């Protein structure tokens, strides 16, 4: 059945928009609901400024430390992305830092591209931040609103709906800074403090999750003697004819010391097993048509979230579909993020795409310990060694099976695995609190609208 909206000419002039997308009925319904609320502000009234970030920073200017530079790829979770940061030098005189500086407690928002509308709050880990050109930086006036409440609203379905409404539909989608300032923020009095508190608790628990994960990696490296620099930097290298025969490869990448040194060191000093001997099976997934709703969750590379898989799409069970069960590992074997790996932790059964390889673990090894090894440079460098293809890389199951896994005393492996299990529990608790806060925002908006 056809659906349409009638809009006055004055409204089109006011909004400077004439596209049908902006005036879709669901957006108009949301607008009417928000305008019924007794007290609300426009986002522009609650910030010191809304700006776009630094223009066209070359990766060659990235540093290992300095001022964190927030890019769109890092704004995936509203809180807790401090482990995946890029840095720029304060001594880089080509950048006018003061014009695009943010502080802890400020908010960043993706304004262009596939993740448009994603938002995140800057933690207290750093006092100062900067951000890239595809990111909008919101310098929050903390005298007028609590940043965590504002974040809570922006990630709710109501806040997200407003953000998507203002997106310019052409090309890859874009948010103009002037439109970001127009977003309506409902004010709910003292309950804002309660909602902000829930988000702060969620943030604290997530930081604990990150700490546990880092502890697991540190413990692994200490046990293997890899917690201190061990390998020399070589600018040239050679290999033996027997290694070429055994590796079935003659390209230099396969014998790069950055990769090979890990294998040689581990074989020389520890009991090691090839990955194929620790698995019941290795199976590639299948590309499926996905849906927003359904009964069977489906994941691809983009759904590897840290240590685990988090699905936001569904598929239909068809012949040939591949299924992963709880505690199976899924490894990215195609594309730019080969080696990325996560464990099936929140689902009993999960369908997965053709760019993922299922690793069904034997009873001889704890899957969470194996996950730790594979996420460590030990596993990641070995994955890099066996990549084939010059344009779109690929990692074959046969080569995955060659990866060397160091074995420790069972008690020590279980200790490492336990930290990962607890880290994932804390992460889930954090996410549940986040969802609770978002749901409460929706309920408050509806209640406030009904009272007027």
């Amino acid at each position: 059945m056809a659906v349409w909206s009638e809009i006055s000419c004055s409204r089109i002039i006011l909004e400077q928009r004439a596209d049908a997308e902006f005036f879709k009925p669901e957006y108009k319904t949301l607008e009417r609901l928000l305008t019924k609320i007794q007290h609300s502000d426009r986002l522009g009234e609650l910030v010191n400024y809304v700006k776009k970030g630094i223009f066209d920073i070359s990766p060659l200017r990235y540093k290992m430390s300095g001022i964190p530079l927030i890019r769109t790829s890092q704004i995936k979770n509203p809180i807790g992305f401090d482990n995946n940061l890029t840095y720029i030098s304060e001594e880089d005189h080509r950048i006018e830092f003061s014009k695009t500086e943010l502080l802890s407690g400020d908010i960043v928002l993706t304004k262009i591209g596939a993740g448009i509308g994603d938002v995140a709050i800057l933690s207290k880990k750093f006092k100062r931040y900067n951000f890239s050109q595809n990111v909008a930086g919101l310098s929050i006036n903390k005298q007028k609103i609590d940043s965590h409440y504002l974040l809570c609203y922006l990630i709710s379905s109501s806040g997200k709906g407003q953000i998507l409404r203002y997106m310019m539909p052409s090309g890859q989608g874009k948010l103009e800074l002037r439109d970001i300032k127009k977003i309506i923020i409902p004010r709910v009095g003292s309950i804002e403090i309660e909602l902000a508190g829930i988000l702060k608790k969620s943030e604290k628990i997530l930081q604990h999750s990150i700490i546990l994960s880092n502890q697991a990696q540190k413990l692994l490296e200490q046990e293997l003697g890899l917690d201190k620099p061990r390998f020399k930097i070589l600018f040239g290298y050679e290999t033996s004819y027997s290694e070429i025969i055994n590796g079935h490869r003659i390209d230099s990448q396969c014998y790069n010391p950055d990769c090979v040194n890990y294998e040689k060191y581990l074989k020389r000093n520890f009991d090691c097993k090839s990955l194929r001997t620790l698995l019941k099976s290795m199976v590639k997934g299948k590309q499926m048509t996905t849906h927003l709703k359904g009964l069977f969750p489906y994941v691809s590379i983009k759904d590897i979230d840290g240590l685990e898989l988090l699905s936001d799409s569904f598929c239909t069970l068809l012949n040939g579909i591949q299924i992963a069960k709880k505690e199976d590992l899924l490894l990215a074997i195609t594309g730019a993020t080969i080696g990325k790996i996560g464990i099936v932790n929140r689902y009993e059964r999960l369908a997965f795409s053709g760019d993922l390889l299922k690793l069904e673990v034997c009873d001889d090894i704890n899957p969470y310990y194996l996950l730790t090894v594979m996420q460590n440079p030990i596993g990641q460098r070995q994955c890099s060694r066996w990549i084939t293809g010059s344009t779109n890389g690929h990692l074959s199951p046969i080569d995955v099976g060659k990866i060397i896994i160091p074995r420790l005393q069972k008690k020590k492996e279980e200790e490492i695995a336990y930290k990962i299990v607890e880290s994932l529990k804390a992460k889930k608790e954090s996410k549940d609190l986040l969802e609770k806060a978002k749901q409460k925002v929706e309920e408050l908006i509806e209640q406030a609208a009904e009272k007027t």
Side-chain angles (χ1 to χ4, degrees):
M1 188 175 75
V3 177
W4 67 86
S5 298
E6 293 184 0
I7 306 299
S8 67
C9 184
S10 60
R11 181 66 192 279
I12 291 174
I13 293 171
L14 177 65
E15 296 291 351
Q16 297 181 327
R17 294 283 291 269
D19 54 290
E21 183 72 21
F22 185 81
F23 297 103
K24 286 171 66 173
E26 56 264 40
Y27 292 150
K28 291 181 66 181
T29 300
L30 173 60
E31 183 181 50
R32 281 196 298 269
L33 181 66
L34 292 173
T35 53
K36 284 184 180 180
I37 296 173
Q38 188 173 10
H39 180 49
S40 61
D41 293 310
R42 296 284 181 173
L43 181 57
E45 300 167 348
L46 303 171
V47 299
N48 300 316
Y49 61 75
V50 177
K51 291 183 179 180
K52 69 177 181 179
I54 297 171
F55 181 76
D56 193 23
I57 292 294
S58 166
L60 296 176
R61 289 158 70 183
Y62 295 162
K63 305 295 180 182
M64 297 299 293
S65 61
I67 298 176
L69 177 70
I70 308 303
R71 297 172 294 158
T72 57
S73 60
Q74 296 162 326
I75 310 176
K76 300 299 181 185
N77 299 310
I79 52 178
F81 55 84
D82 289 348
N83 271 23
N84 184 33
L85 290 175
T86 295
Y87 300 90
I88 50 179
S89 172
E90 193 169 5
E91 298 173 356
D92 191 336
H93 299 296
R94 292 167 288 184
I95 304 172
E96 296 184 68
F97 291 97
S98 60
K99 290 187 177 181
T100 52
E101 184 174 88
L102 294 176
L103 307 176
S104 61
D106 287 336
I107 289 175
V108 285
L109 183 152
T110 299
K111 69 181 187 68
I112 191 169
I116 192 165
D118 289 343
V119 292
I121 193 166
L122 303 178
S123 76
K124 294 180 180 179
K125 184 174 181 180
F126 299 92
K127 291 182 178 180
R128 302 166 61 202
Y129 292 82
N130 225 297
F131 52 104
S132 68
Q133 60 180 328
N134 292 334
V135 175
L138 281 59
S139 174
I140 310 302
N141 186 331
K142 299 174 179 70
Q143 301 299 317
K144 294 184 176 181
I145 193 168
D146 189 298
S147 301
H148 285 82
Y149 167 68
L150 178 57
L151 177 72
C152 186
Y153 176 72
L154 292 176
I155 62 176
S156 71
S157 59
S158 175
K160 193 78 169 179
Q162 287 194 80
I163 291 172
L164 294 178
R165 181 184 191 185
Y166 280 110
M167 180 180 70
M168 300 298 288
S170 60
Q172 60 181 159
K174 182 180 180 181
L175 278 170
E176 297 291 348
L177 299 182
R178 67 171 184 270
D179 290 331
I180 294 172
K181 295 177 183 179
K182 295 177 184 177
I183 294 171
I184 300 171
I185 309 298
R187 308 308 302 268
V188 290
S190 61
I191 303 177
E192 291 182 16
I193 298 173
E194 179 186 344
L195 291 168
I198 294 174
L199 248 69
K200 289 173 184 176
K201 184 177 179 181
S202 172
E203 187 176 23
K204 185 176 180 180
I205 292 171
L206 184 59
Q207 289 300 325
H208 178 61
S209 170
I210 293 170
I211 288 170
L212 287 170
S213 175
N214 289 342
Q215 286 177 348
Q217 290 290 347
K218 186 176 180 179
L219 181 56
L220 173 68
E221 292 177 357
Q222 286 175 341
E223 289 298 312
L224 297 175
L226 293 171
D227 52 328
K228 297 178 181 179
R230 181 168 294 277
F231 307 126
K232 294 180 180 179
I233 297 175
L234 300 176
F235 297 97
Y237 49 91
E238 58 184 33
T239 190
S240 66
Y241 180 72
S242 61
E243 283 183 308
I244 291 174
I245 296 298
N246 291 331
H248 301 285
R249 295 270 292 274
I250 61 172
D251 56 292
S252 59
Q253 171 190 301
C254 188
Y255 305 99
N256 189 321
D258 284 347
C259 305
V260 176
N261 281 343
Y262 277 100
E263 292 183 39
K264 291 182 176 179
Y265 171 77
L266 293 173
K267 286 179 178 178
R268 192 164 55 242
N269 295 285
F270 298 93
D271 175 29
C272 295
K273 303 290 183 184
S274 61
L275 183 56
R276 64 175 173 269
T277 65
L278 300 172
L279 302 175
K280 294 178 182 178
S281 66
M282 284 188 286
V283 181
K284 285 180 66 175
K286 183 177 180 180
Q287 300 300 130
M288 302 291 293
T289 301
T290 60
H291 314 281
L292 295 176
K293 295 182 180 179
L295 297 176
F296 210 86
Y298 174 88
V299 293
S300 59
I301 288 178
K302 69 178 179 60
D303 300 308
I304 301 177
D305 187 350
L307 299 170
E308 61 180 335
L309 284 302
L310 295 178
S311 172
D312 61 1
S313 56
F314 300 85
C315 69
T316 304
L317 289 179
L318 300 172
N319 290 336
I321 190 172
Q322 297 297 336
I323 303 297
K325 66 181 187 304
K326 193 165 188 178
E327 297 189 347
D328 285 343
L329 305 181
L330 293 177
L331 174 71
I333 57 171
T334 303
T337 55
I338 289 176
K340 195 176 180 182
I341 189 168
I343 193 165
V344 181
N345 186 60
R346 302 195 192 190
Y347 310 91
E348 293 300 324
R349 301 175 74 211
L350 190 63
F352 58 101
S353 63
D355 47 18
L356 292 172
L357 181 70
K358 179 182 75 171
L359 308 180
E360 185 179 3
V361 180
C362 290
D363 296 335
D364 182 51
I365 189 169
N366 190 304
Y368 294 93
Y369 170 72
L370 180 57
L371 173 66
T372 309
V373 175
M374 290 296 292
Q375 278 219 324
N376 190 272
I378 295 168
Q380 292 299 298
R381 296 285 173 82
Q382 291 187 75
C383 285
S384 297
R385 178 185 183 185
W386 297 109
I387 293 174
T388 57
S390 56
T391 305
N392 189 33
H394 179 72
L395 187 60
S396 75
I398 291 175
D399 289 332
V400 171
K402 297 175 184 177
I403 292 172
I404 298 301
I405 305 299
R407 301 306 306 269
L408 306 175
Q409 293 181 355
K410 185 175 179 61
K411 184 177 179 181
K412 192 59 65 174
E413 288 187 0
E414 293 297 327
E415 183 181 350
I416 292 169
Y418 177 76
K419 288 185 179 294
I420 297 298
V421 171
E422 291 301 301
S423 172
L424 291 174
K425 284 182 180 177
K427 183 181 176 184
K428 183 178 184 303
E429 184 182 354
S430 172
K431 186 174 178 62
D432 289 345
L433 282 170
L434 211 61
E435 293 301 319
K436 176 184 175 182
K438 287 161 61 177
Q439 184 178 354
K440 191 156 188 175
V441 166
E442 295 303 320
E443 292 172 354
L444 287 169
I445 291 172
E446 290 180 7
Q447 290 170 10
E450 287 173 0
K451 290 177 181 178
T452 56

